[in-house]
Amino acid sequence: MTNSNTQILPVLLAGGWGTRLWPLSRQKLPKQFLPIRGNRSLFQETLDHIPRLREQGFDVLDPIVLCLDEYRFFVQEQCREHGTEPGLIITESTPKNTLPPLAITALNAIKMDGDPYLLILPIDGYFDDLDVFVQALAMGVNWAGKNRIVTFGVRPETHTQDYGYAQMGQQLETDVFRLDQFQRKPDTTGKKATLEWDKSLWNLGIYLMKPSLFLEELEKINHELLNALQSATDNAVVDKPLYIPGPPYEILPARSFERGFLEKTSETVVVRVNAKWADLGTWKRVHSLSDLDEDNNSLTGDVISVGSSGNIVKSTSRLVATVGLKDTAVIETSDAVLVSTLDTLELTKGVITKLQANNRNELIEHKRVYRPWGSYESIRQGEGFQVKSLMVHPKAKLSLQAHRHRSEHWTVVRGIAKVTCDDTILTLEPNQSTYIPLGARHRLENPGSEELEVIEVQCGSYLGEDDIIRFEDDFGRIRD
């Protein structure tokens, strides 16, 4: 299969944070950057599509990634681990759903690469046979070349409101149809149903189109929005690969690609993919796609299972033992545990609602908090003090900073530390320590080739994370 005359620009949708996969997925460390099924994240599994498509003869450009501003470091780090260079990382501080950032992507694609086909990929989709999707993509490229918006669908396993539906109209060729109608959450009771179920497919959220056609259609559908997004492109702040849309992007309303565009254009065809597909959005679905033991269990981490069957049990910080448990999800993290039967997992949204109402931090972040330089975990906290474990990546360094309300003691337990404290620069080895006075300009750096671990003891009247004055930073956080 050779498609060398067609350039494809992958666009990865890496926003959102997957509340249905709580407590593993948190607002500040969402599901797309976590190893949900195996040892690699959903984001990196999606990046795997790029070399796979190149092997099949497609001319695939470096991807564009769309994400929230606070996720940009995860994107950069995981792209580096994967060996993939992102063309752009388009970020937004306030979620705008999918239509505005995709239009920004189209405007940039034309500016950078001419008119490559945009291949829009959600992060949480799974095919049991990717080769079948590659064959469907080849058909999609043919129809995108005929100035059509191409969407992809699979035969539904059941009627559900969890997915959008694409109803097939006139057949154009084998497995290619005009899109008759699209519905995001159709009525499944039959009382108000307008879809013809035997002609409808689960819409995969995967789209293929020329950016020129996308923008031409958007001009007809919403001229004012396109003008505003053109201004946001003209005013963008660019420090490649990072790209921040400029004014008036922040004040634009959120709009989905499906509702704001797909439902309003008549230039769409749907390609049927004859493979099984799943959205890895619930623990029940993750269980069904996991490697199961002889008792139909998916067990990850330090788990002992006795007389238990049909479960998904995931342990991240301690031993979890099950006895006589059936068809249940047990998801353990260091500060929260979810226990639910697989058939009642949808009720987890009630837990999320209560966590939000009580401003619980277990919804926002894990005890170990990840930063672009590494991570930290609060070990103990009391009146006027806090003890943390800091992990600093090789060759990484924290910002040059000061605190108004606290002093710090640092003790190295693993690795080599380079410490700046005002005009003094020290090198510390394991079992050596130093004192950072209140108000001193200081910085911690790992000059070595292995992880640096430091125990930090903070003392002061206020120990919040917002008591940081940054003077220099490798990660552009002075503006934060």
Side-chain angles (χ1 to χ4, degrees):
M1 180 184 299
T2 300
N3 299 274
S4 57
N5 294 329
T6 301
Q7 286 191 317
I8 292 179
L9 176 57
V11 183
L12 277 60
L13 305 180
W17 61 278
T19 57
R20 293 181 296 172
L21 291 179
W22 185 86
L24 193 62
S25 180
R26 308 279 176 103
Q27 185 173 328
K28 291 191 175 181
L29 183 54
K31 68 177 183 179
Q32 56 265 36
F33 304 114
L34 292 167
I36 299 298
R37 289 194 319 120
N39 297 321
R40 296 185 308 141
S41 71
L42 297 180
F43 178 70
Q44 290 175 321
E45 289 184 355
T46 306
L47 287 175
D48 286 344
H49 296 348
I50 296 172
R52 187 74 168 273
L53 291 175
R54 287 171 176 159
E55 290 171 2
Q56 295 298 318
F58 291 95
D59 183 5
V60 183
L61 301 172
D62 291 332
I64 289 179
V65 183
L66 310 182
C67 67
L68 289 177
D69 184 64
E70 63 183 315
Y71 300 158
R72 67 191 189 273
F73 305 119
F74 294 126
V75 170
Q76 288 179 292
E77 176 66 14
Q78 295 198 4
C79 280
R80 184 192 63 80
E81 292 176 354
H82 189 270
T84 295
E85 186 71 29
L88 283 179
I89 301 172
I90 298 178
T91 71
E92 52 188 16
S93 57
T94 304
K96 300 299 179 184
N97 213 310
T98 48
L99 180 56
L102 285 175
I104 291 284
T105 300
L107 290 165
N108 277 281
I110 290 176
K111 186 184 302 183
M112 295 189 314
D113 300 300
D115 202 19
Y117 295 7
L118 302 182
L119 175 60
I120 300 166
L121 295 169
I123 295 298
D124 52 6
Y126 171 82
F127 285 103
D128 71 334
D129 189 343
L130 189 60
D131 288 338
V132 175
F133 171 69
V134 171
Q135 294 170 10
L137 179 61
M139 289 190 288
V141 167
N142 178 48
W143 283 93
K146 298 177 182 179
N147 273 352
R148 294 291 186 269
I149 308 293
V150 181
T151 184
F152 297 84
V154 297
R155 297 181 187 276
E157 297 175 6
T158 185
H159 297 167
T160 175
Q161 288 191 337
D162 291 340
Y163 307 131
Y165 284 76
Q167 182 169 302
M168 298 174 288
Q170 176 190 358
Q171 184 166 0
L172 303 173
E173 65 171 287
T174 303
D175 292 323
V176 181
F177 306 83
R178 291 189 184 278
L179 180 65
D180 193 32
Q181 66 167 309
F182 172 84
Q183 287 193 17
R184 289 204 66 181
K185 292 186 176 182
D187 174 61
T188 57
T189 64
K191 297 177 182 178
K192 300 179 181 178
T194 59
L195 284 175
E196 297 180 53
W197 295 109
D198 60 334
K199 297 182 180 179
S200 297
L201 304 173
W202 278 346
N203 187 58
L204 306 184
I206 299 174
Y207 303 102
L208 183 71
M209 58 192 169
K210 291 181 180 179
S212 57
L213 175 62
F214 175 27
L215 297 174
E216 179 183 320
E217 288 295 295
L218 186 58
E219 169 75 23
K220 300 174 187 175
I221 294 168
N222 197 327
H223 172 78
E224 290 184 357
L225 175 62
L226 182 57
N227 279 350
L229 291 170
Q230 181 64 67
S231 296
T233 301
D234 295 339
N235 297 324
V237 177
V238 184
D239 182 14
K240 285 190 174 182
L242 298 178
Y243 181 102
I244 306 169
Y249 191 83
E250 284 300 307
I251 64 173
L252 294 176
R255 289 183 174 89
S256 74
F257 176 80
E258 290 81 7
R259 184 163 295 173
F261 180 81
L262 191 64
E263 293 177 358
K264 299 177 181 179
T265 179
S266 59
E267 302 299 324
T268 305
V269 300
V270 55
V271 176
R272 182 171 57 202
V273 184
N274 296 305
K276 289 188 177 181
W277 171 88
D279 169 12
L280 292 169
T282 68
W283 289 117
K284 184 175 183 179
R285 181 62 73 176
V286 173
H287 172 264
S288 71
L289 296 173
S290 298
D291 293 329
L292 305 178
D293 66 12
E294 63 274 12
D295 295 314
N296 204 33
N297 294 310
S298 170
L299 308 177
T300 307
D302 193 4
V303 177
I304 296 175
S305 174
V306 176
S308 300
S309 61
N311 305 304
I312 176 169
V313 184
K314 197 173 186 73
S315 168
T316 67
S317 71
R318 73 195 93 177
L319 171 65
V320 174
T322 66
V323 179
L325 196 66
K326 296 184 184 301
D327 303 325
T328 298
V330 181
I331 312 299
E332 180 274 338
T333 66
S334 61
D335 60 350
V337 180
L338 172 69
V339 181
S340 169
T341 63
L342 293 177
D343 288 336
T344 56
L345 276 167
E346 69 274 7
L347 299 178
T348 303
K349 60 187 177 183
V351 176
I352 301 301
T353 299
K354 291 187 177 182
L355 290 171
Q356 290 171 330
N358 292 294
N359 294 317
R360 294 291 296 258
N361 195 56
E362 292 90 341
L363 187 65
I364 306 302
E365 58 190 4
H366 290 274
K367 288 187 69 176
R368 179 156 291 278
V369 178
Y370 291 86
R371 293 288 185 260
W373 46 262
S375 63
Y376 70 83
E377 181 176 357
S378 180
I379 299 172
R380 188 176 177 189
Q381 186 169 7
E383 185 174 352
F385 80 93
Q386 180 172 210
V387 182
K388 286 183 175 180
S389 166
L390 308 182
M391 300 294 295
V392 185
H393 294 321
K395 310 303 180 183
K397 55 187 174 183
L398 284 67
S399 58
L400 181 65
Q401 59 185 249
H403 308 297
R404 294 188 180 93
H405 304 288
R406 70 175 185 256
S407 61
E408 296 173 340
H409 297 257
W410 290 344
T411 300
V412 175
V413 295
R414 179 159 60 99
I416 303 296
K418 179 181 177 181
V419 177
T420 300
C421 184
D422 287 329
D423 296 328
T424 302
I425 297 178
L426 302 172
T427 297
L428 300 179
E429 298 182 352
N431 203 31
Q432 294 181 331
S433 62
T434 190
Y435 170 64
I436 309 296
L438 183 151
R441 291 193 180 200
H442 61 281
R443 176 173 239 162
L444 178 63
E445 180 177 350
N446 179 1
S449 58
E450 64 177 53
E451 291 285 311
L452 167 65
E453 184 173 3
V454 172
I455 299 300
E456 176 183 88
V457 180
Q458 303 175 351
C459 296
S461 59
Y462 177 72
L463 305 174
E465 285 301 311
D466 54 348
D467 179 23
I468 298 178
I469 306 167
R470 289 190 174 97
F471 304 101
E472 297 176 8
D473 186 66
D474 286 358
F475 308 103
R477 293 175 299 165
I478 293 177
R479 65 180 174 84
D480 294 347

